Amino acid sequence: MDLRHLRYFLTVAEEMHFGRAALRLGISQPPLSQQIRALEEELGVRLFDRTSRRVRLTEAGRLFEPEARATLVQADRASQTARRAQRGEIGHLGLGFTASGPFVPQIASALYRFRQTYPQVELILREQGRDEQIENVRNHQLDIGLVRDFLPPVLPEDMVSHCLLTEDMLLALRDDHPLALRTEDPSITDLAGEPLVLYGAPNGAGFTEHFFAQCEAAGFVPRIAHEARSLATLLGLVSAGFGPTVIARSMARLHVDNVVNRRFTSPVTSSLWLIHHRTLSPPAEAFRATVLEDQPPQIVSA
């Protein structure tokens, strides 16, 4: 059934006059009469009683009118829904992030602005390590990932990455630790023989590999006293004196009792990368644009 026929029918039903209805619709009266007859033939019922003096709804027309009106309302709602979905205003967004992600001002600001601009998009947030995010973006369980790595992450060929920022890594240690009491900043070699607390696999993927390589280049193998699965456990163990750890500068915004942060004499850096498929859903494209609002688009292909 042509929605145009329903609009014509409802206009005639409101005016109860074919001439006035035709004027409202911006067409001449003969084509309007033809369209109403076509609708009646399609339905197999008469919708109007017509005489030279008046037009009135038949019983079938009277009962058909509210259903026709509801159909047009629903059709308009469906059209609006499709347009809003295309603009990324509704739907859902699966977003993965590392523990440090929400502490990066650019990410925190983007999340706030996205929720204000697209309040009806359902955000599905998952804290995951690098490898898990890559796999979940690959199989479309996530739309976008925020992973930490020292080099562009190795991705399937239909995915891309964008470097959001590069920042220093800091040594976090208990405030009465000898390295905390020294006036000079620590170096990587100062960690030789120190019991360390680090993220365990898979959360430490990327960072742990790079950190181990730097330690080995400095002539020692790091001594891992404990592995943690969460940021809270990691810093809690440092505060309890189980050993230092290495964190991103953005995480230094967290205040933990008895824990201080020190820069390395030779900067140790890591980067935060935005990863996604080359083709994005409208909500994912809207979030990507929000994150990169103040950045030039520098895509690094896998």
PDB file of all heavy atoms in Angstrom, residues 57-81:
ATOM      1  N   LEU A  57     -17.551   9.818   5.145  1.00  0.00           N
ATOM      2  CA  LEU A  57     -16.920   8.504   5.302  1.00  0.00           C
ATOM      3  C   LEU A  57     -17.972   7.418   5.407  1.00  0.00           C
ATOM      4  O   LEU A  57     -19.009   7.595   6.055  1.00  0.00           O
ATOM      5  CB  LEU A  57     -16.049   8.482   6.566  1.00  0.00           C
ATOM      6  CG  LEU A  57     -14.748   9.273   6.527  1.00  0.00           C
ATOM      7  CD1 LEU A  57     -14.173   9.403   7.934  1.00  0.00           C
ATOM      8  CD2 LEU A  57     -13.737   8.597   5.611  1.00  0.00           C
ATOM      9  N   THR A  58     -17.686   6.299   4.757  1.00  0.00           N
ATOM     10  CA  THR A  58     -18.499   5.105   4.994  1.00  0.00           C
ATOM     11  C   THR A  58     -18.096   4.522   6.350  1.00  0.00           C
ATOM     12  O   THR A  58     -17.145   4.976   6.996  1.00  0.00           O
ATOM     13  CB  THR A  58     -18.249   4.056   3.907  1.00  0.00           C
ATOM     14  OG1 THR A  58     -16.872   3.635   3.985  1.00  0.00           O
ATOM     15  CG2 THR A  58     -18.540   4.599   2.525  1.00  0.00           C
ATOM     16  N   GLU A  59     -18.819   3.498   6.800  1.00  0.00           N
ATOM     17  CA  GLU A  59     -18.439   2.842   8.058  1.00  0.00           C
ATOM     18  C   GLU A  59     -17.037   2.250   7.944  1.00  0.00           C
ATOM     19  O   GLU A  59     -16.226   2.351   8.869  1.00  0.00           O
ATOM     20  CB  GLU A  59     -19.447   1.740   8.402  1.00  0.00           C
ATOM     21  CG  GLU A  59     -19.167   0.995   9.706  1.00  0.00           C
ATOM     22  CD  GLU A  59     -19.267   1.898  10.934  1.00  0.00           C
ATOM     23  OE1 GLU A  59     -19.757   3.042  10.826  1.00  0.00           O
ATOM     24  OE2 GLU A  59     -18.834   1.453  12.021  1.00  0.00           O
ATOM     25  N   ALA A  60     -16.713   1.679   6.788  1.00  0.00           N
ATOM     26  CA  ALA A  60     -15.364   1.134   6.575  1.00  0.00           C
ATOM     27  C   ALA A  60     -14.332   2.259   6.610  1.00  0.00           C
ATOM     28  O   ALA A  60     -13.252   2.112   7.199  1.00  0.00           O
ATOM     29  CB  ALA A  60     -15.307   0.393   5.243  1.00  0.00           C
ATOM     30  N   GLY A  61     -14.686   3.407   6.003  1.00  0.00           N
ATOM     31  CA  GLY A  61     -13.763   4.539   6.010  1.00  0.00           C
ATOM     32  C   GLY A  61     -13.539   5.086   7.405  1.00  0.00           C
ATOM     33  O   GLY A  61     -12.421   5.481   7.771  1.00  0.00           O
ATOM     34  N   ARG A  62     -14.631   5.132   8.205  1.00  0.00           N
ATOM     35  CA  ARG A  62     -14.523   5.651   9.572  1.00  0.00           C
ATOM     36  C   ARG A  62     -13.586   4.788  10.417  1.00  0.00           C
ATOM     37  O   ARG A  62     -12.786   5.303  11.205  1.00  0.00           O
ATOM     38  CB  ARG A  62     -15.921   5.709  10.200  1.00  0.00           C
ATOM     39  CG  ARG A  62     -15.954   6.372  11.574  1.00  0.00           C
ATOM     40  CD  ARG A  62     -17.362   6.352  12.136  1.00  0.00           C
ATOM     41  NE  ARG A  62     -17.793   5.001  12.425  1.00  0.00           N
ATOM     42  CZ  ARG A  62     -17.437   4.319  13.541  1.00  0.00           C
ATOM     43  NH1 ARG A  62     -16.624   4.885  14.418  1.00  0.00           N
ATOM     44  NH2 ARG A  62     -17.883   3.087  13.735  1.00  0.00           N
ATOM     45  N   LEU A  63     -13.693   3.472  10.253  1.00  0.00           N
ATOM     46  CA  LEU A  63     -12.825   2.567  11.016  1.00  0.00           C
ATOM     47  C   LEU A  63     -11.404   2.519  10.452  1.00  0.00           C
ATOM     48  O   LEU A  63     -10.448   2.258  11.174  1.00  0.00           O
ATOM     49  CB  LEU A  63     -13.431   1.162  11.021  1.00  0.00           C
ATOM     50  CG  LEU A  63     -14.772   1.027  11.760  1.00  0.00           C
ATOM     51  CD1 LEU A  63     -15.342  -0.380  11.593  1.00  0.00           C
ATOM     52  CD2 LEU A  63     -14.610   1.360  13.240  1.00  0.00           C
ATOM     53  N   PHE A  64     -11.290   2.795   9.159  1.00  0.00           N
ATOM     54  CA  PHE A  64      -9.974   2.772   8.515  1.00  0.00           C
ATOM     55  C   PHE A  64      -9.137   4.004   8.899  1.00  0.00           C
ATOM     56  O   PHE A  64      -7.905   3.937   8.969  1.00  0.00           O
ATOM     57  CB  PHE A  64     -10.171   2.720   6.993  1.00  0.00           C
ATOM     58  CG  PHE A  64      -8.899   2.671   6.200  1.00  0.00           C
ATOM     59  CD1 PHE A  64      -8.045   1.573   6.245  1.00  0.00           C
ATOM     60  CD2 PHE A  64      -8.538   3.749   5.385  1.00  0.00           C
ATOM     61  CE1 PHE A  64      -6.881   1.536   5.507  1.00  0.00           C
ATOM     62  CE2 PHE A  64      -7.372   3.719   4.651  1.00  0.00           C
ATOM     63  CZ  PHE A  64      -6.538   2.606   4.703  1.00  0.00           C
ATOM     64  N   GLU A  65      -9.814   5.129   9.164  1.00  0.00           N
ATOM     65  CA  GLU A  65      -9.097   6.392   9.393  1.00  0.00           C
ATOM     66  C   GLU A  65      -8.062   6.326  10.525  1.00  0.00           C
ATOM     67  O   GLU A  65      -6.897   6.691  10.309  1.00  0.00           O
ATOM     68  CB  GLU A  65     -10.100   7.515   9.669  1.00  0.00           C
ATOM     69  CG  GLU A  65      -9.411   8.856   9.884  1.00  0.00           C
ATOM     70  CD  GLU A  65     -10.404   9.971  10.202  1.00  0.00           C
ATOM     71  OE1 GLU A  65     -11.604   9.680  10.393  1.00  0.00           O
ATOM     72  OE2 GLU A  65      -9.964  11.135  10.265  1.00  0.00           O
ATOM     73  N   PRO A  66      -8.416   5.880  11.753  1.00  0.00           N
ATOM     74  CA  PRO A  66      -7.380   5.865  12.808  1.00  0.00           C
ATOM     75  C   PRO A  66      -6.234   4.903  12.507  1.00  0.00           C
ATOM     76  O   PRO A  66      -5.086   5.159  12.886  1.00  0.00           O
ATOM     77  CB  PRO A  66      -8.158   5.444  14.063  1.00  0.00           C
ATOM     78  CG  PRO A  66      -9.400   4.784  13.561  1.00  0.00           C
ATOM     79  CD  PRO A  66      -9.723   5.453  12.270  1.00  0.00           C
ATOM     80  N   GLU A  67      -6.542   3.808  11.813  1.00  0.00           N
ATOM     81  CA  GLU A  67      -5.484   2.866  11.459  1.00  0.00           C
ATOM     82  C   GLU A  67      -4.538   3.472  10.425  1.00  0.00           C
ATOM     83  O   GLU A  67      -3.311   3.298  10.500  1.00  0.00           O
ATOM     84  CB  GLU A  67      -6.096   1.571  10.908  1.00  0.00           C
ATOM     85  CG  GLU A  67      -7.031   0.847  11.867  1.00  0.00           C
ATOM     86  CD  GLU A  67      -6.312   0.373  13.112  1.00  0.00           C
ATOM     87  OE1 GLU A  67      -5.080   0.144  13.051  1.00  0.00           O
ATOM     88  OE2 GLU A  67      -6.973   0.234  14.160  1.00  0.00           O
ATOM     89  N   ALA A  68      -5.105   4.207   9.469  1.00  0.00           N
ATOM     90  CA  ALA A  68      -4.270   4.869   8.463  1.00  0.00           C
ATOM     91  C   ALA A  68      -3.389   5.930   9.111  1.00  0.00           C
ATOM     92  O   ALA A  68      -2.202   6.072   8.793  1.00  0.00           O
ATOM     93  CB  ALA A  68      -5.157   5.505   7.390  1.00  0.00           C
ATOM     94  N   ARG A  69      -3.970   6.676  10.062  1.00  0.00           N
ATOM     95  CA  ARG A  69      -3.200   7.717  10.750  1.00  0.00           C
ATOM     96  C   ARG A  69      -2.047   7.090  11.553  1.00  0.00           C
ATOM     97  O   ARG A  69      -0.919   7.576  11.549  1.00  0.00           O
ATOM     98  CB  ARG A  69      -4.126   8.529  11.663  1.00  0.00           C
ATOM     99  CG  ARG A  69      -3.564   9.871  12.075  1.00  0.00           C
ATOM    100  CD  ARG A  69      -4.606  10.681  12.837  1.00  0.00           C
ATOM    101  NE  ARG A  69      -5.814  10.915  12.066  1.00  0.00           N
ATOM    102  CZ  ARG A  69      -5.928  11.846  11.133  1.00  0.00           C
ATOM    103  NH1 ARG A  69      -4.886  12.619  10.852  1.00  0.00           N
ATOM    104  NH2 ARG A  69      -7.061  12.004  10.494  1.00  0.00           N
ATOM    105  N   ALA A  70      -2.345   5.987  12.256  1.00  0.00           N
ATOM    106  CA  ALA A  70      -1.314   5.306  13.051  1.00  0.00           C
ATOM    107  C   ALA A  70      -0.213   4.755  12.149  1.00  0.00           C
ATOM    108  O   ALA A  70       0.966   4.766  12.508  1.00  0.00           O
ATOM    109  CB  ALA A  70      -1.949   4.183  13.870  1.00  0.00           C
ATOM    110  N   THR A  71      -0.607   4.286  10.954  1.00  0.00           N
ATOM    111  CA  THR A  71       0.392   3.755  10.026  1.00  0.00           C
ATOM    112  C   THR A  71       1.350   4.844   9.568  1.00  0.00           C
ATOM    113  O   THR A  71       2.569   4.644   9.507  1.00  0.00           O
ATOM    114  CB  THR A  71      -0.306   3.139   8.798  1.00  0.00           C
ATOM    115  OG1 THR A  71      -1.124   2.034   9.233  1.00  0.00           O
ATOM    116  CG2 THR A  71       0.713   2.627   7.778  1.00  0.00           C
ATOM    117  N   LEU A  72       0.809   6.031   9.278  1.00  0.00           N
ATOM    118  CA  LEU A  72       1.676   7.134   8.858  1.00  0.00           C
ATOM    119  C   LEU A  72       2.586   7.598   9.992  1.00  0.00           C
ATOM    120  O   LEU A  72       3.749   7.929   9.759  1.00  0.00           O
ATOM    121  CB  LEU A  72       0.826   8.303   8.361  1.00  0.00           C
ATOM    122  CG  LEU A  72       0.168   8.119   6.993  1.00  0.00           C
ATOM    123  CD1 LEU A  72      -0.602   9.376   6.617  1.00  0.00           C
ATOM    124  CD2 LEU A  72       1.211   7.817   5.928  1.00  0.00           C
ATOM    125  N   VAL A  73       2.056   7.621  11.212  1.00  0.00           N
ATOM    126  CA  VAL A  73       2.879   8.008  12.360  1.00  0.00           C
ATOM    127  C   VAL A  73       4.032   7.023  12.533  1.00  0.00           C
ATOM    128  O   VAL A  73       5.185   7.409  12.748  1.00  0.00           O
ATOM    129  CB  VAL A  73       2.028   8.083  13.649  1.00  0.00           C
ATOM    130  CG1 VAL A  73       2.925   8.195  14.890  1.00  0.00           C
ATOM    131  CG2 VAL A  73       1.065   9.269  13.578  1.00  0.00           C
ATOM    132  N   GLN A  74       3.708   5.730  12.414  1.00  0.00           N
ATOM    133  CA  GLN A  74       4.744   4.709  12.568  1.00  0.00           C
ATOM    134  C   GLN A  74       5.767   4.780  11.433  1.00  0.00           C
ATOM    135  O   GLN A  74       6.969   4.614  11.655  1.00  0.00           O
ATOM    136  CB  GLN A  74       4.114   3.310  12.610  1.00  0.00           C
ATOM    137  CG  GLN A  74       5.106   2.172  12.794  1.00  0.00           C
ATOM    138  CD  GLN A  74       5.936   2.320  14.057  1.00  0.00           C
ATOM    139  OE1 GLN A  74       5.411   2.661  15.108  1.00  0.00           O
ATOM    140  NE2 GLN A  74       7.237   2.078  13.962  1.00  0.00           N
ATOM    141  N   ALA A  75       5.301   5.037  10.232  1.00  0.00           N
ATOM    142  CA  ALA A  75       6.219   5.161   9.094  1.00  0.00           C
ATOM    143  C   ALA A  75       7.156   6.349   9.286  1.00  0.00           C
ATOM    144  O   ALA A  75       8.354   6.269   8.999  1.00  0.00           O
ATOM    145  CB  ALA A  75       5.430   5.309   7.791  1.00  0.00           C
ATOM    146  N   ASP A  76       6.599   7.459   9.789  1.00  0.00           N
ATOM    147  CA  ASP A  76       7.433   8.633  10.039  1.00  0.00           C
ATOM    148  C   ASP A  76       8.446   8.336  11.146  1.00  0.00           C
ATOM    149  O   ASP A  76       9.617   8.743  11.060  1.00  0.00           O
ATOM    150  CB  ASP A  76       6.554   9.814  10.438  1.00  0.00           C
ATOM    151  CG  ASP A  76       7.367  11.087  10.629  1.00  0.00           C
ATOM    152  OD1 ASP A  76       7.954  11.558   9.648  1.00  0.00           O
ATOM    153  OD2 ASP A  76       7.417  11.580  11.774  1.00  0.00           O
ATOM    154  N   ARG A  77       8.004   7.613  12.187  1.00  0.00           N
ATOM    155  CA  ARG A  77       8.915   7.253  13.273  1.00  0.00           C
ATOM    156  C   ARG A  77      10.034   6.351  12.751  1.00  0.00           C
ATOM    157  O   ARG A  77      11.198   6.511  13.123  1.00  0.00           O
ATOM    158  CB  ARG A  77       8.141   6.542  14.391  1.00  0.00           C
ATOM    159  CG  ARG A  77       8.990   6.229  15.626  1.00  0.00           C
ATOM    160  CD  ARG A  77       8.176   5.521  16.692  1.00  0.00           C
ATOM    161  NE  ARG A  77       7.080   6.347  17.155  1.00  0.00           N
ATOM    162  CZ  ARG A  77       5.801   6.007  17.110  1.00  0.00           C
ATOM    163  NH1 ARG A  77       5.443   4.829  16.607  1.00  0.00           N
ATOM    164  NH2 ARG A  77       4.860   6.806  17.569  1.00  0.00           N
ATOM    165  N   ALA A  78       9.681   5.410  11.889  1.00  0.00           N
ATOM    166  CA  ALA A  78      10.701   4.517  11.318  1.00  0.00           C
ATOM    167  C   ALA A  78      11.705   5.314  10.485  1.00  0.00           C
ATOM    168  O   ALA A  78      12.918   5.060  10.549  1.00  0.00           O
ATOM    169  CB  ALA A  78      10.025   3.443  10.461  1.00  0.00           C
ATOM    170  N   SER A  79      11.214   6.291   9.712  1.00  0.00           N
ATOM    171  CA  SER A  79      12.111   7.111   8.896  1.00  0.00           C
ATOM    172  C   SER A  79      13.053   7.919   9.772  1.00  0.00           C
ATOM    173  O   SER A  79      14.257   8.010   9.503  1.00  0.00           O
ATOM    174  CB  SER A  79      11.296   8.060   8.009  1.00  0.00           C
ATOM    175  OG  SER A  79      10.484   7.334   7.110  1.00  0.00           O
ATOM    176  N   GLN A  80      12.506   8.515  10.839  1.00  0.00           N
ATOM    177  CA  GLN A  80      13.333   9.303  11.750  1.00  0.00           C
ATOM    178  C   GLN A  80      14.380   8.427  12.437  1.00  0.00           C
ATOM    179  O   GLN A  80      15.528   8.837  12.628  1.00  0.00           O
ATOM    180  CB  GLN A  80      12.446   9.984  12.800  1.00  0.00           C
ATOM    181  CG  GLN A  80      11.550  11.079  12.251  1.00  0.00           C
ATOM    182  CD  GLN A  80      12.358  12.233  11.663  1.00  0.00           C
ATOM    183  OE1 GLN A  80      13.428  12.574  12.156  1.00  0.00           O
ATOM    184  NE2 GLN A  80      11.848  12.821  10.592  1.00  0.00           N
ATOM    185  N   THR A  81      13.973   7.203  12.805  1.00  0.00           N
ATOM    186  CA  THR A  81      14.902   6.274  13.460  1.00  0.00           C
ATOM    187  C   THR A  81      16.056   5.937  12.528  1.00  0.00           C
ATOM    188  O   THR A  81      17.228   5.933  12.929  1.00  0.00           O
ATOM    189  CB  THR A  81      14.179   4.989  13.885  1.00  0.00           C
ATOM    190  OG1 THR A  81      13.179   5.314  14.863  1.00  0.00           O
ATOM    191  CG2 THR A  81      15.151   3.976  14.485  1.00  0.00           C
TER     192      THR A  81
END
